[in-house]
Amino acid sequence: METTQPPSWISKLSGSLERLRQSENQLSLVLSLVIGALVGLVVVAFILLTGRLAARMYPAGGSGWRRIFVPTLGSLTTGYLLWRYFPFARGSGIPQTKFALFINDGRISFRTVLGKFFCCSASLASGIALGREGPSVQVGAGLASVVARNLGLSPRQVKALVPAGCAAALAAAFNTPIAAVLFSLEEIMGDLHAEVLGSVVLSSATSWMVLHLVLGDDPLFHVAGYRAVHPVEFGVYAVLGLVGGLGSVCFVKLLLGLRAWFMRLPRRTVWFQPVVGGLTVGLMGYFVPEVLGVGYNHVEKVLNGDMVLKMVVLFAVLKIVATAVCYASGNAGGIFGPALFIGAMMGGAVGGVAHTLFPHYTAGPGAYALVGMGTAFAGIVRTPLTSVIMIFEITRDYTIIVPLMISNLIAYFISYKLQRQPIYEALAYQEGVHLPTMHSRAQAERMQVRQAMRPAPTVLSPDMLIAVALDQMKDETLDAWPVVDAYGLWGMIRSSELEQAASDGASHQTVAQILREALRSGGSSAEELPHVHDDHSLSLALERMGATRLNVLPVVSRANVHQLMGIVVLDDILDAYGVARRARTREPRR
């Protein structure tokens, strides 16, 4: 019986697709274009949906009580949805994206993408004092992850496309394609020389073109051209950098402190906690409506010098408090937009004072508000290069670059000195997730702990008696042992400490008692657990061995520092470096 052959064009198409799948570089470029177009359309839909919902929730001539009722009800509704259905869609989305990239093989579920899109749309439209750019990044990264995984790509290929989704989202949300590329490399990847540069650039450019095709060539803010009046102004911009740095630190510390307080509350209140943010911003908005929402329309007024000094100071203070409470209480939304609002108000305040005192030597407050936006962004988000290029793209005026660089550098330095841990790493750390720092990411290609780690030996239990523990250890040659209970790793106890306790007649004591005494005598606490992660460099493991005086360190998960994955031993590290093992016995002295 004669079989029906498929048309020749289908055969050619199938062959082309198969060759494309086999060519990793070509597939990456094609998918970058597809992801850029898809993410651009979704972010445009996000912008339009948020704007139209906000117009319905706050119609012209609406009652003042609506400014209290709407954000409170909006935070209550989205808070329940986030708790019940979309637990990974809370917050800004940047820490969650980095978690997916570095810990979860680039996996972001489609449910999280949907939850982020709709919950953020409702939250921001209701007047919550958060921004859309951070959530857009998670949505873009999630779409890239979903597309790549459904095509059957390997985890390495999925992780390579996630930054492309991030750049595409930010390019459409901010209308800044170059800054989007830099942010994906500088913050998300932590490496400006990452191999994904080509994919990130293509995706960002494609998304930006989609934005322009749908919404037109309209900048985020309409501002007058900047003009330097006198060299004295550079001193004023240095003062702005000082003010911006201190303001950024106040905002970050307030947000982290409030979030730590909310996290100590009973877990049964998690679904209700966002209402605190909604009610707070609602009460503020009843008296000062400018606090509601991200406030880009008010930023534009400041940029064009249309606000008085005392009002911009008030707006800056209220926005710092409102955004910190809204974010810390668990609402869905980011801090990009509020950072620009806060920076514009601080810059407008500094510029207003400077122009009053030195009217012939300084520009109007609008120029300082513009620089203040980049200053606050550099101080809060800690991406100084991205902040300079972003403001340049917003204004399309090259003459603003030098004042931006001066102010941003000072703000970044002050922020680093007074708040060592960047905000996104600090937020992840509060969740018990240890994101890799820029230093550890820079050493990712070097020899890593996973190359020398071994499975954990038989572990000791905290309630085990000393005599039993010594009997269990007699056939092993380790200098220290992990102590593990039902909740995970407690710490490391030295063999010598157990042997000393036994010789002192304390064999009836438990391992936990000896470990607590060792911690107290060393001035440490149970939270200061000596450890390494499997992607740490071996040189870092050696440094920590020297600092803790342990020849054995536990290897723990980045997602949970108490989850024991294995151990790394000094002898194995020396073997990995090609150094002969230490002699275990020494000749007696003559």
Side-chain angles (χ1 to χ4, degrees):
M1 183 175 180
E2 189 173 332
T3 58
T4 304
Q5 296 293 331
S8 59
W9 68 271
I10 293 181
S11 300
K12 291 179 180 179
L13 179 61
S14 299
S16 298
L17 290 175
E18 185 59 31
R19 287 192 297 272
L20 184 61
R21 287 177 61 86
Q22 294 175 359
S23 176
E24 186 173 324
N25 291 335
Q26 292 181 10
L27 180 62
S28 177
L29 294 179
V30 171
L31 287 180
S32 298
L33 295 173
V34 173
I35 289 170
L38 175 63
V39 172
L41 289 172
V42 171
V43 172
V44 167
F46 183 41
I47 295 171
L48 295 176
L49 177 62
T50 304
R52 291 178 182 179
L53 281 176
R56 288 183 175 273
M57 292 181 182
Y58 294 99
S63 171
W65 288 103
R66 185 184 290 266
R67 296 197 293 269
I68 298 178
F69 176 74
V70 171
T72 303
L73 180 61
S75 59
L76 177 63
T77 304
T78 57
Y80 177 78
L81 292 174
L82 291 168
W83 170 76
R84 183 69 177 82
Y85 300 105
F86 312 111
F88 299 107
R90 298 164 69 91
S92 72
I94 303 297
Q96 293 87 343
T97 300
K98 295 172 74 172
F99 175 89
L101 183 62
F102 292 109
I103 299 175
N104 206 26
D105 287 333
R107 181 180 178 83
I108 300 175
S109 69
F110 189 59
R111 170 185 282 197
T112 297
V113 174
L114 290 177
K116 198 71 172 184
F117 184 92
F118 289 109
C119 288
C120 279
S121 296
S123 292
L124 303 183
S126 68
I128 296 299
L130 297 173
R132 66 177 181 240
E133 289 77 19
S136 297
V137 168
Q138 188 180 11
V139 169
L143 289 173
S145 173
V146 170
V147 169
R149 286 186 288 109
N150 282 323
L151 289 175
L153 301 187
S154 66
R156 184 179 65 83
Q157 292 172 305
V158 174
K159 290 170 66 175
L161 288 172
V162 166
C166 297
L170 202 57
F174 258 148
N175 193 10
T176 54
I178 302 175
V181 171
L182 289 175
F183 181 83
S184 293
L185 299 178
E186 188 177 16
E187 174 59 34
I188 302 298
M189 296 296 296
D191 182 8
L192 291 173
H193 303 285
E195 294 180 354
V196 298
L197 176 60
S199 298
V200 169
V201 170
L202 273 179
S203 184
S204 176
T206 306
S207 176
W208 180 80
M209 286 189 287
V210 170
L211 172 72
H212 279 234
L213 287 173
V214 179
L215 297 183
D217 186 14
D218 197 24
L220 189 61
F221 302 110
H222 296 86
V223 296
Y226 169 79
R227 183 176 63 87
V229 177
H230 194 276
V232 171
E233 278 194 295
F234 293 123
V236 181
Y237 286 117
V239 173
L240 175 55
L242 175 63
V243 173
L246 294 174
S248 300
V249 171
C250 290
F251 171 75
V252 172
K253 288 189 176 293
L254 177 62
L255 188 152
L256 294 176
L258 286 173
R259 192 164 184 265
W261 182 81
F262 276 105
M263 293 180 72
R264 289 194 293 268
L265 296 177
R267 290 193 60 83
R268 63 178 180 272
T269 67
V270 170
W271 71 274
F272 189 74
Q273 290 176 12
V275 176
V276 178
L279 183 59
T280 300
V281 76
L283 292 173
M284 289 182 178
Y286 181 77
F287 299 100
V288 186
E290 290 82 357
V291 176
L292 293 168
V294 67
Y296 281 160
N297 55 331
H298 306 299
V299 170
E300 188 156 323
K301 291 180 181 179
V302 177
L303 293 176
N304 290 285
D306 294 337
M307 285 192 180
V308 296
L309 177 61
K310 63 180 181 180
M311 295 305 296
V312 295
V313 174
L314 176 65
F315 294 163
V317 173
L318 292 180
K319 196 71 168 185
I320 287 174
V321 176
T323 301
V325 177
C326 286
Y327 191 100
S329 58
N331 286 281
I335 59 176
F336 277 29
L340 296 182
F341 183 99
I342 293 166
M345 299 305 157
M346 290 192 297
V350 172
V353 172
H355 195 64
T356 301
L357 296 176
F358 312 106
H360 302 296
Y361 297 94
T362 58
Y368 295 90
L370 187 62
V371 174
M373 290 166 61
T375 301
F377 197 88
I380 293 173
V381 184
R382 296 274 187 89
T383 53
L385 184 58
T386 299
S387 65
V388 170
I389 300 302
M390 181 181 64
I391 302 302
F392 164 64
E393 285 191 281
I394 289 174
T395 62
R396 302 174 187 178
D397 186 352
Y398 184 78
T399 55
I400 201 73
I401 291 290
V402 174
L404 268 172
M405 293 173 65
I406 294 172
S407 189
N408 283 14
L409 181 61
I410 295 173
Y412 179 86
F413 177 78
I414 292 173
S415 177
Y416 175 78
K417 285 295 183 182
L418 300 181
Q419 171 63 38
R420 288 282 182 173
Q421 198 171 30
I423 186 167
Y424 292 130
E425 290 180 12
L427 289 170
Y429 192 82
Q430 286 184 331
E431 296 282 354
V433 176
H434 291 198
L435 290 174
T437 63
M438 187 174 294
H439 176 70
S440 65
R441 279 177 278 181
Q443 297 189 11
E445 298 301 322
R446 300 185 181 183
M447 296 187 68
Q448 298 176 332
V449 168
R450 62 168 58 97
Q451 297 173 252
M453 67 181 285
R454 63 170 74 169
T458 303
V459 296
L460 304 182
S461 172
D463 55 0
M464 184 180 289
L465 296 179
I466 301 300
V468 177
L470 288 172
D471 184 67
Q472 184 171 310
M473 296 161 45
K474 64 182 180 181
D475 295 326
E476 296 285 346
T477 58
L478 296 178
D479 297 315
W481 292 70
V483 180
V484 179
D485 66 0
Y487 297 99
L489 182 65
W490 256 47
M492 298 292 291
I493 189 166
R494 293 177 174 85
S495 303
S496 58
E497 293 169 345
L498 296 176
E499 292 168 355
Q500 183 63 43
S503 65
D504 292 342
S507 298
H508 61 283
Q509 291 188 344
T510 64
V511 171
Q513 291 173 294
I514 302 300
L515 184 57
R516 290 194 188 100
E517 291 174 5
L519 290 172
R520 282 197 297 269
S521 63
S524 302
S525 64
E527 287 75 22
E528 297 172 352
L529 176 67
H531 69 275
V532 289
H533 299 295
D534 64 345
D535 60 350
H536 274 154
S537 65
L538 289 180
S539 60
L540 178 62
L542 286 173
E543 291 175 11
R544 291 194 176 177
M545 285 181 176
T548 59
R549 298 182 180 179
L550 288 171
N551 292 335
V552 181
L553 285 177
V555 183
V556 299
S557 168
R558 283 194 176 277
N560 181 4
V561 73
H562 295 285
Q563 180 184 341
L564 182 65
M565 299 172 62
I567 60 172
V568 60
V569 183
L570 177 60
D571 285 335
D572 293 342
I573 295 178
L574 296 177
D575 283 348
Y577 280 118
V579 180
R581 284 182 179 270
R582 297 172 299 140
R584 295 198 178 276
T585 59
R586 295 181 179 178
E587 293 183 4
R589 293 183 180 179
R590 298 182 182 275

